[in-house]
Amino acid sequence: GKGGYDHYMLKEINEQPTALGRSVRGRADPEAGTVDLDGFPPGTFEGIERVHLVAMGTSYHAAMYAESLLASRGVPARAFMASEYATAPPPAEDGTLVVAISQSGETADTIAAVRAASAERTLVVTNVVGSSLTRECDDALLVRAGPEIGVAATKSFSSQVATLSLLAERLRRDVVGSPSPDAAAFLSALTALPDQVQQVVESGAAERVADSFADSEAYFFIGRGPGHAVALEGALKFKEITYEHAEGFTAAELKHGPLALVTEDTPVFAVFDGRDGDTETLGNVQEIRARGGPVVAVASGDAPDVADAVDHVLPVPATHPDLVGVLANVQLQLVAYHAAKRRGRSIDKPRNLAKSVTV
Ligand code: F6R
């Protein structure tokens, strides 16, 4: 059942601390700065030179997030929409690891990508034991988020990113030959993430922001690096369950065209993750506000220059920059949820959509 919540989606948003705890528990040793992935001991990925991540929808956004995590750890990686990978697979090359990401393990486009990559080593990161992709791929790594009923993926995304974070550290050790310089700090932040997600779900800020923009024409989302993946995911969640026009962009992309859409009726949600790129994102925010566009920053509460430059802040607790996106994404899930609820939408079963896209 819904355990006292109005919707499965809200229940699953609230289950994220538990789900994340399960994804990470027993797999990260912050003191030693090492990961312990069952079935993937150190050395598992020796000989791997590059990673191709294939997925669709929300799982594709997790793939984009992982691409950033891997690249910053010196592991060459590229995220592909699985359907495009299946249509035009890159040439087979020794040393490629194809990582499929799928909550259900049943997505036809993702299965097609794995089949197109049959000459490569394949690994699926999935939430469902015994799913089709676990049979199609050489190896499976479980995200352990628990069953997800709401059509809109929520806790599965957070747990995918946590699991891919662990995989990124394992790959870094095996591909580069040494752990990430800040592995201990990163793994300790990962271990602290469940409590921080709990703080976000309890904060109430997202509902107030959703209420302030109840009559807007369109909703835009911007970010860079992992924040770009979160911007796309924020927009996908928003359009799926509110039926409003929502789009995500890289922050820099705006001035190359989409800025033409910005008016006082188009709020822009900007993800700040505490990295150097925040300065540029702040510049992009000023361009939006100069055109009258309201801006909501999703940012660490202790970033004072951001708070002064925007209309609203959705605060997230301070963490490792690689993990701010997970917390920011929870705020955006809550904004979408409250905006959809206000509009009386069918939140758990949005029109035209199915939980598992097997065609
Ligand atoms: C979005 C959503 C879909 C799925 C996509 C892939 O909320 O649920 O975009 O993410 O259909 O599904 P899986 O992860 O099962 O392969």
Side-chain angles (χ1 to χ4, degrees):
K2 291 179 206 155
Y5 291 99
D6 289 345
H7 299 95
Y8 280 108
M9 183 183 178
L10 188 59
K11 175 174 181 260
E12 289 161 2
I13 288 172
N14 277 275
E15 278 170 358
Q16 287 174 113
T18 314
L20 274 168
R22 270 200 308 266
S23 303
V24 175
R25 195 170 312 118
R27 290 172 160 181
D29 183 343
E31 260 110 84
T34 55
V35 297
D36 180 6
L37 287 175
D38 205 27
F40 303 93
T44 303
F45 298 113
E46 262 160 35
I48 292 300
E49 290 169 32
R50 74 196 69 78
V51 179
H52 290 171
L53 303 137
V54 297
M56 297 304 290
T58 293
S59 296
Y60 172 68
H61 301 145
M64 287 178 63
Y65 202 123
E67 178 189 76
S68 288
L69 297 182
L70 286 164
S72 67
R73 282 163 182 72
V75 180
R78 254 186 88 185
F80 297 82
M81 284 259 192
S83 56
E84 295 305 297
Y85 199 87
T87 304
E93 262 182 292
D94 284 350
T96 304
L97 175 68
V98 176
V99 176
I101 305 164
S102 174
Q103 187 285 128
S104 63
E106 302 296 344
T107 299
D109 288 313
T110 310
I111 294 172
V114 165
R115 289 187 182 157
S118 61
E120 320 282 10
R121 187 163 166 193
T122 56
L123 161 66
V124 65
V125 175
T126 183
N127 198 30
V128 180
V129 185
S131 56
S132 300
L133 277 163
T134 63
R135 292 191 301 273
E136 296 275 346
C137 293
D138 300 326
D139 287 301
L141 178 58
L142 296 172
V143 307
R144 304 178 179 166
E148 190 175 65
I149 311 289
V151 164
T154 52
K155 63 175 180 173
S156 60
F157 176 84
S158 298
S159 284
Q160 283 169 340
V161 173
T163 307
L164 289 161
S165 297
L166 297 165
L167 183 63
E169 284 299 330
R170 164 61 68 247
L171 279 159
R172 153 81 199 198
R173 151 79 183 64
D174 286 356
V175 173
V176 179
S178 60
S180 313
D182 69 343
F186 177 66
L187 295 173
S188 133
L190 196 58
T191 308
L193 210 49
D195 286 342
Q196 296 186 314
V197 170
Q198 187 62 34
Q199 290 171 41
V200 172
V201 295
E202 284 170 3
S203 85
E207 184 169 5
R208 288 193 293 278
V209 165
D211 286 347
S212 351
F213 298 111
D215 302 312
S216 302
E217 256 170 40
Y219 301 80
F220 301 131
F221 299 77
I222 62 171
R224 342 174 83 80
H228 178 215
V230 170
L232 297 187
E233 174 58 10
L236 177 62
K237 217 83 318 178
F238 201 92
K239 74 183 80 166
E240 279 185 296
I241 61 168
T242 67
Y243 313 155
E244 302 287 344
H245 178 208
E247 261 191 281
F249 305 103
T250 64
E253 193 179 353
L254 278 191
K255 58 181 174 296
H256 299 283
L259 201 53
L261 298 169
V262 169
T263 69
E264 61 193 23
D265 295 318
T266 62
V268 181
F269 293 82
V271 178
F272 290 89
D273 64 7
R275 263 186 263 255
D276 291 350
D278 280 358
T279 312
E280 279 80 49
T281 304
L282 208 51
N284 304 128
V285 158
Q286 277 145 5
E287 289 152 13
I288 293 159
R289 293 189 89 221
R291 274 102 189 149
V295 175
V296 180
V298 193
S300 204
D302 52 25
D305 42 346
V306 172
D308 293 342
V310 299
D311 300 277
H312 300 269
V313 179
L314 292 170
V316 300
T319 180
H320 190 285
D322 283 351
L323 298 172
V324 173
V326 175
L327 298 171
N329 187 60
V330 175
Q331 285 288 23
L332 296 179
Q333 292 170 347
L334 287 163
V335 171
Y337 174 79
H338 289 293
K341 192 172 176 197
R342 222 192 133 91
R343 287 164 176 78
R345 302 307 190 210
S346 167
I347 292 179
D348 286 332
K349 285 188 192 302
R351 69 184 182 199
N352 309 339
L353 302 178
K355 180 70 183 158
S356 185
V357 187
T358 55
V359 289

